[in-house]
Amino acid sequence: MENTRLDEDDIIRRVYEAATTGCVASLNRLLQTDQFILNKISLTPFTETPLHISSLLGHLDFTRAILEKCPKMAFEFDSLKRSPLHLASAEGHAEIVKALLRVKNDVCLVRDKDGRIPLHLAAIRGRVEVIQELINACSETTWELLDGETVLHLCVKYNHLEALTLLVENIEDDELVNKGNRDGNTILHIATMLKQLETIRYLLSVPIIKAKVNAINRMGFTALDVLDHSPTDFKSSEIRAILIESGAKKATTPYPSNLMPVKPAATFTVSIKSPSGPKAWFRKFTKYIEHQGKNWIEEAQGTLMAVATLIAAMTFQAVISPPGGLWQQDYTNGDGSSSCINKTCLAGTAIFGYMYESEYKDFLIFNSVAFAGSLVVVFLIISGFSLQNKFLTWVMTALMCTTVYFAAYAYVTSLDMTTPDEILSKIKWVHPTWISGWFGLLVLASLSHIIRFLIWITKKLSTRRHRKKQFRPQQLTNLDEHINV
């Protein structure tokens, strides 16, 4: 009896080895030895069946052989409550999924230990062919949620556009396509939050999604509001343009889900004459010149980072490839140019450095200032310093304005060096116009920032004075109470 038991254990071990290699011939020989060996798998301590292994590894012929001999094995679950269909769906073995579904498609709705059905696993991994097989066999699986999210949310969350396209084309229910998750976020909200440009373009090309472009989540935000409350990067402006072109708007009255607007008990209309005069105009001017929005600091720093990076690249390239080019070899005694008569023109150095020494020095100064200024801004933004204050943002903005001004000066200097005198004599007006125009812009920008800074300082000082005057003498308080009574 003991020898029989050992033989049985050995046969089962060989069945698992055959499942690992996918050898159907080995399985058939073992079944000839014991035709009930597959039924006896359930008596072993192993949680995974041979069908789990073959489905996971993609052995189609072996899987078909087991399903033919022991179809009930398709309904066995491992310790994590995963069926062979779960494993095949996650790995993208479409033919094995089709074979398993032919036995019985009820497993499509079975959830594993983490609450995932096979369609969820296929969507997370972007298995397009498997998704097609699963929704063909059991279309109601598309309504199964995972932690409040639809299968469409999963495709967007894990950035599988092809799988998302397939599901949207096969789902006929508009409510499901535009359904929000637990936070009320639709798939358009999620795609905007994750800055998935191609996904947003596709979603807005679908009429039923475009019609709900201004859907509001539980925070009272539309997709455009979500974009405004997300960190700004290079994609933000393009996404904004796409959303606005599709009719996206900001929410007019955003309220958190747990707070409802309280209607006043009574409404009184008081006619107030609009103020006029110098003071009123000054207030309007200061209100206009002040930064609007709470997240203007983040937006400004994102713009500064982009401009500083661009100017740093431009000015660096101008040094590596200067106007006029580089000497390709050493020249002496006027061989390469008359500039090399009394000096040696070394290979790899700037040609204009010898021909136009004064102008080239000016070019280097202007270009170096622009390069250094842009690097300082980039360093401040990426270095980890606390930049969430208005003053430092204003300093960086002023520095970038100066950097742009010097970059413009470097351009004019290189223009003078590279343009023939005959042409320059015909366009003498360009140089002073260019210089005065840029200088005027710099002055206007500087005045704007100085005024903003003074307004900010004034408000800070007035706030401190107000706090000091909050605690009035007790006598005045009693007198006011007596008068009110």
Side-chain angles (χ1 to χ4, degrees):
M1 189 68 180
E2 185 177 354
N3 291 335
T4 304
R5 180 63 183 169
L6 289 174
D7 291 342
E8 185 177 292
D9 289 345
D10 185 60
I11 293 173
I12 291 175
R13 179 181 59 79
R14 294 187 180 186
V15 170
Y16 277 95
E17 290 177 354
T20 303
T21 59
C23 183
V24 179
S26 299
L27 176 63
N28 291 331
R29 285 195 298 269
L30 294 170
L31 287 172
Q32 290 175 1
T33 304
D34 187 347
Q35 59 178 334
F36 302 112
I37 193 62
L38 293 177
N39 301 85
K40 296 176 181 178
I41 295 293
S42 58
L43 302 176
T44 66
F46 304 122
T47 58
E48 291 181 336
T49 66
L51 186 58
H52 279 90
I53 296 174
S54 64
S55 299
L56 178 67
L57 299 178
H59 300 314
L60 178 59
D61 294 335
F62 192 92
T63 300
R64 287 173 175 170
I66 290 185
L67 291 175
E68 182 181 351
K69 302 296 182 181
C70 186
K72 74 178 186 67
M73 198 174 286
F75 308 104
E76 297 290 339
F77 302 95
D78 61 12
S79 59
L80 298 178
K81 207 181 176 184
R82 297 175 302 194
S83 68
L85 184 61
H86 284 82
L87 302 181
S89 299
E91 289 297 308
H93 303 312
E95 291 300 321
I96 293 179
V97 168
K98 189 186 297 185
L100 292 168
L101 290 171
R102 286 198 196 101
V103 178
K104 200 174 182 181
N105 59 10
D106 291 351
V107 189
C108 286
L109 298 171
V110 176
R111 295 179 179 270
D112 65 8
K113 189 177 179 181
D114 296 320
R116 300 171 298 187
I117 61 174
L119 183 60
H120 292 153
L121 294 171
I124 290 172
R125 295 295 183 183
R127 313 299 189 188
V128 178
E129 294 181 1
V130 171
I131 291 173
Q132 186 69 70
E133 295 296 336
L134 291 171
I135 60 178
N136 287 343
C138 188
S139 60
E140 57 266 28
T141 55
T142 54
W143 270 99
E144 295 296 319
L145 304 182
L146 177 62
D147 297 329
E149 294 183 323
T150 67
V151 66
L152 299 174
H153 285 96
L154 296 177
C155 290
V156 175
K157 187 177 178 180
Y158 290 93
N159 199 17
H160 296 303
L161 179 56
E162 190 177 355
L164 175 68
T165 305
L166 173 65
L167 285 165
V168 171
E169 291 174 352
N170 283 272
I171 295 175
E172 299 178 355
D173 196 321
D174 296 359
E175 181 184 352
L176 178 59
V177 174
N178 290 306
K179 185 177 177 61
N181 59 12
R182 289 177 178 174
D183 296 323
N185 290 316
T186 64
I187 51 178
L188 183 59
H189 282 98
I190 300 296
T192 304
M193 201 179 302
L194 299 176
K195 306 290 182 67
Q196 295 178 0
L197 188 58
E198 295 302 321
T199 302
I200 294 170
R201 282 201 183 102
Y202 167 71
L203 292 177
L204 293 176
S205 70
V206 180
I208 59 175
I209 298 177
K210 186 177 180 180
K212 298 289 185 179
V213 68
N214 291 313
I216 295 176
N217 63 12
R218 293 187 183 276
M219 291 294 293
F221 291 158
T222 64
L224 191 57
D225 291 317
V226 169
L227 180 65
D228 289 340
H229 286 78
S230 301
T232 304
D233 58 16
F234 296 104
K235 296 181 182 178
S236 299
S237 58
E238 189 171 356
I239 293 174
R240 178 186 295 278
I242 294 172
L243 288 171
I244 293 176
E245 185 180 354
S246 301
K249 298 178 181 179
K250 293 185 178 182
T252 54
T253 54
Y255 293 100
S257 60
N258 60 339
L259 296 177
M260 295 299 293
V262 179
K263 186 177 180 180
T267 304
F268 300 94
T269 303
V270 181
S271 178
I272 300 175
K273 186 178 179 181
S274 178
S276 59
K279 291 185 178 179
W281 283 107
F282 179 75
R283 291 194 193 99
K284 290 180 181 179
F285 173 73
T286 55
K287 184 177 180 181
Y288 175 77
I289 203 171
E290 283 183 312
H291 288 291
Q292 302 296 323
K294 295 181 179 179
N295 60 338
W296 73 267
I297 294 180
E298 293 182 3
E299 294 177 357
Q301 289 179 5
T303 304
L304 289 173
M305 183 66 173
V307 175
T309 305
L310 178 62
I311 292 179
M314 286 170 37
T315 51
F316 179 81
Q317 186 64 30
V319 173
I320 301 301
S321 301
L326 304 171
W327 294 111
Q328 301 301 312
Q329 64 183 53
D330 294 345
Y331 289 103
T332 55
N333 300 322
D335 293 338
S337 170
S338 58
S339 303
C340 304
I341 294 177
N342 298 322
K343 63 185 75 173
T344 301
C345 298
L346 300 176
T349 56
I351 295 175
F352 283 172
Y354 298 89
M355 298 179 63
Y356 308 105
E357 289 189 24
S358 177
E359 290 86 349
Y360 192 76
K361 287 178 182 178
D362 293 339
F363 168 77
L364 287 180
I365 292 172
F366 299 144
N367 194 75
S368 299
V369 171
F371 180 71
S374 59
L375 283 188
V376 169
V377 172
V378 171
F379 176 77
L380 287 175
I381 293 177
I382 68 173
S383 61
F385 287 107
S386 178
L387 303 176
Q388 297 300 317
N389 64 80
K390 296 180 181 180
F391 178 73
L392 194 52
T393 303
W394 284 331
V395 170
M396 290 193 296
T397 304
L399 182 59
M400 280 310 304
C401 290
T402 306
T403 298
V404 172
Y405 180 70
F406 275 95
Y409 249 115
Y411 167 78
V412 172
T413 306
S414 62
L415 186 69
D416 289 341
M417 290 189 293
T418 55
T419 306
D421 294 337
E422 295 82 12
I423 298 177
L424 283 177
S425 62
K426 296 177 182 179
I427 54 171
K428 292 181 178 179
W429 57 271
V430 172
H431 194 283
T433 303
W434 178 275
I435 298 301
S436 60
W438 273 104
F439 182 76
L441 285 175
L442 184 62
V443 170
L444 285 176
S446 300
L447 287 175
S448 173
H449 285 290
I450 291 171
I451 293 171
R452 284 174 177 167
F453 178 72
L454 292 176
I455 292 171
W456 178 65
I457 289 292
T458 304
K459 286 185 175 181
K460 287 288 185 182
L461 293 175
S462 63
T463 302
R464 290 185 179 180
R465 290 197 202 100
H466 178 71
R467 288 176 180 174
K468 289 181 179 179
K469 293 180 180 180
Q470 272 187 333
F471 300 98
R472 297 181 177 181
Q474 187 65 30
Q475 294 84 354
L476 292 178
T477 303
N478 294 336
L479 180 60
D480 289 341
E481 291 177 355
H482 178 71
I483 293 173
N484 290 332
V485 172

